[in-house]
Amino acid sequence: MKPREIVPNVHLIGAVDWDRRLFDALIPLPDGTSYNAYFVQGSEQNALIDTVDPVHWRTLSRQLDQLPAPDYLVIHHVEQDHSGSTPMLLERFPELTIVCNEKCRAMLIDHLHVDDARFQVVADGETLSLGDKTLTFLFTPWVHWPETMSTWLDEDRILFSCDFFGSHYATSDVFADKHEVYDGAKRYYAEIMMPFGAQVLKNIEKVTQYPIAFIGPSHGPVYDDPGFIIEAYRDWAGGEPQNIVCLPYVTMHDSTRLMVDYLTAALTDRGVAVERFDLTTLDAGELASSLVHAGTIVLGTPTVLTGPHPLAAYAAFLANALKPRAKYATVIGSYGWAGKTVETLVGMMPKLKVELLEAVLAKGMPREADYAALDALADTIAEKHKGLAPRNFADFTVCRTDR
Ligand code: FEO
């Protein structure tokens, strides 16, 4: 693929990874991904912004054959899907200088053994003139790692945002079709950014001080309608939890399934939306997306030996890592003789700032008393949810109103 023009003398390069299906040995990629690099050609000097996953170095190298030699390599973030081809670039262009912040410098030395002599360290807000194009470096920590920064190209009003605003979405289009990219961008937010919601909001305010016309992220298409993704991010990071129960569950001999089915119906009857996830076939990205807006998390699990089913433990561990803003949580399920299922699961979610609702555990197959307890739990959730935002699809209408 040739370098693709965003505006004159600014090109999208990099690699589209159509077939990748797993990231970080953790995150499913149903729509593949891309590793975007950008080439900014100034009247006096040129800058390459980010690299690609080293698996795709040859793709980037062939694109660079069609461009003038870069003077600078701006590295926003050390995770290797963006920085991994740095050693090859330094070898190919012996005069190339890496521009990054101090944290990034130290991490590049640790992760890629980059020669310390190749760096030009910049401060937050510092500018670099390429002649008729000016880069301003904006530190945007925790979207995704502590060293992450963005770059503002003043003359063309482009924000190069690295992971921030990105999506794991392989496409041959340069610019985002917001209807198509929305779900992938939300999944990406949920998987990568949600643990840093407060930092996300701070960074949104920081970058929107600038009159952005384009956002060029390091994954997925470029936004030529940046208001769409900025408003979506504000909603995901700062919107109130909604009238939704996120219900991941696993069942062995259907006792827990009977309870999950009953609670699903009881909540639905009370006007509470339920988003269910069978943990044996889980797509972790779908569960993460649900956690963005869920008001309550209910984990459904049988007791295995003396504790929760390992798949339920995985869901609890994941929820704890992602730090969603749910307000309530509880556990339902069954047991054979005894155990510490509830204590174990609750102990795995210390980062969640939730009020724990009374768990419902049935001994063996649920009886009338257990169903009555589930009705009581549904009553409690419905009452608690009166204080939450209604389930709404405003976040979806952000991308659908112009259909
Ligand atoms: Fe796409 Fe945090 O790397």
Side-chain angles (χ1 to χ4, degrees):
M1 201 180 288
K2 293 178 180 174
R4 293 177 289 168
E5 184 178 272
I6 300 173
V7 297
N9 293 325
V10 179
H11 286 85
L12 167 64
I13 54 178
V16 180
D17 199 340
W18 298 93
D19 298 326
R20 188 166 179 177
R21 286 293 173 266
L22 196 62
F23 193 86
D24 286 348
L26 174 66
I27 297 168
L29 303 178
D31 300 311
T33 190
S34 67
Y35 319 104
N36 300 341
Y38 297 91
F39 196 89
V40 181
Q41 193 172 340
S43 57
E44 295 174 14
Q45 291 183 300
N46 308 309
L48 171 62
I49 296 181
D50 287 321
T51 81
V52 295
D53 189 293
V55 170
H56 294 272
W57 158 243
R58 285 171 61 87
T59 301
L60 178 63
S61 185
R62 281 194 293 268
Q63 291 169 325
L64 291 170
D65 290 342
Q66 304 166 59
L67 294 163
D71 300 283
Y72 300 102
L73 168 60
V74 177
I75 295 289
H76 286 140
H77 172 34
V78 177
E79 194 165 13
Q80 289 89 335
D81 51 324
H82 309 298
S83 74
S85 295
T86 299
M88 295 78 120
L89 282 159
L90 294 177
E91 186 174 340
R92 174 170 170 177
F93 300 106
E95 305 302 316
L96 187 66
T97 297
I98 296 175
V99 176
C100 68
N101 63 36
E102 177 54 37
K103 280 185 183 162
C104 185
R105 183 195 69 82
M107 292 170 81
L108 281 170
I109 292 171
D110 285 342
H111 287 276
L112 296 174
H113 300 177
V114 173
D115 180 352
D116 201 9
R118 303 295 295 265
F119 290 97
Q120 177 175 326
V121 171
V122 294
D124 190 17
E126 191 170 331
T127 61
L128 173 67
S129 174
L130 304 175
D132 61 352
K133 295 195 187 293
T134 311
L135 306 179
T136 300
F137 306 107
L138 304 173
F139 291 11
T140 45
W142 300 110
V143 290
H144 165 214
W145 284 1
E147 86 295 6
T148 302
M149 71 175 192
S150 301
T151 295
W152 170 245
L153 172 52
D154 190 52
E155 290 79 2
D156 299 304
R157 297 169 51 204
I158 302 175
L159 179 75
F160 300 105
S161 60
C162 199
D163 281 339
F164 200 19
F165 303 119
S167 59
H168 284 312
Y169 188 71
T171 174
S172 56
D173 297 333
V174 173
F175 296 110
D177 178 323
K178 56 189 178 181
H179 311 120
E180 289 188 355
V181 80
Y182 181 89
D183 286 345
K186 184 178 181 185
R187 279 175 69 106
Y188 188 80
Y189 169 83
E191 294 157 342
I192 303 294
M193 306 289 169
M194 187 156 58
F196 312 112
Q199 291 289 341
V200 166
L201 291 171
K202 278 186 196 168
N203 285 320
I204 290 172
E205 294 319 306
K206 182 169 186 170
V207 299
T208 54
Q209 303 295 313
Y210 295 83
I212 302 169
F214 301 90
I215 293 178
S218 293
H219 297 290
V222 174
Y223 298 96
D224 57 357
D225 178 10
F228 144 70
I229 193 66
I230 291 168
E231 287 313 308
Y233 257 65
R234 283 200 172 107
D235 175 47
W236 300 334
E240 284 297 306
Q242 296 179 7
N243 181 23
I244 299 169
V245 167
C246 176
L247 178 40
Y249 71 96
V250 57
T251 188
M252 292 165 67
H253 298 287
D254 275 348
S255 293
T256 298
R257 185 189 308 282
L258 288 169
M259 299 176 73
V260 167
D261 286 348
Y262 191 90
L263 183 63
T264 300
L267 290 166
T268 303
D269 290 346
R270 289 160 177 78
V272 178
V274 180
E275 296 179 357
R276 278 173 56 153
F277 300 92
D278 180 343
L279 291 167
T280 63
T281 56
L282 180 69
D283 176 326
E286 290 182 0
L287 175 59
S289 280
S290 173
L291 290 170
V292 171
H293 282 127
T296 296
I297 302 166
V298 177
L299 275 168
T301 181
T303 296
V304 178
L305 301 176
T306 59
H309 191 288
L311 291 177
Y314 173 73
F317 188 84
L318 191 64
N320 185 63
L322 294 175
K323 294 202 290 184
R325 290 172 303 118
K327 296 206 171 213
Y328 311 100
T330 192
V331 177
I332 65 171
S334 61
Y335 65 98
W337 46 95
K340 294 188 179 299
T341 293
V342 175
E343 298 92 317
T344 303
L345 284 177
V346 169
M348 294 181 72
M349 299 186 287
K351 292 181 184 171
L352 268 56
K353 306 252 186 305
V354 291
E355 176 186 337
L356 292 171
L357 307 179
E358 189 161 353
V360 181
L361 288 192
K363 190 167 192 298
M365 191 183 300
R367 297 175 170 81
E368 284 309 311
D370 303 308
Y371 291 124
L374 290 171
D375 273 323
L377 175 60
D379 284 338
T380 299
I381 292 172
E383 187 62 29
K384 298 276 188 191
H385 277 208
K386 286 179 182 169
L388 302 186
R391 189 192 200 197
N392 73 69
F393 296 91
D395 52 340
F396 289 96
T397 60
V398 165
C399 67
R400 286 183 177 159
T401 46
D402 61 350
R403 273 185 170 172

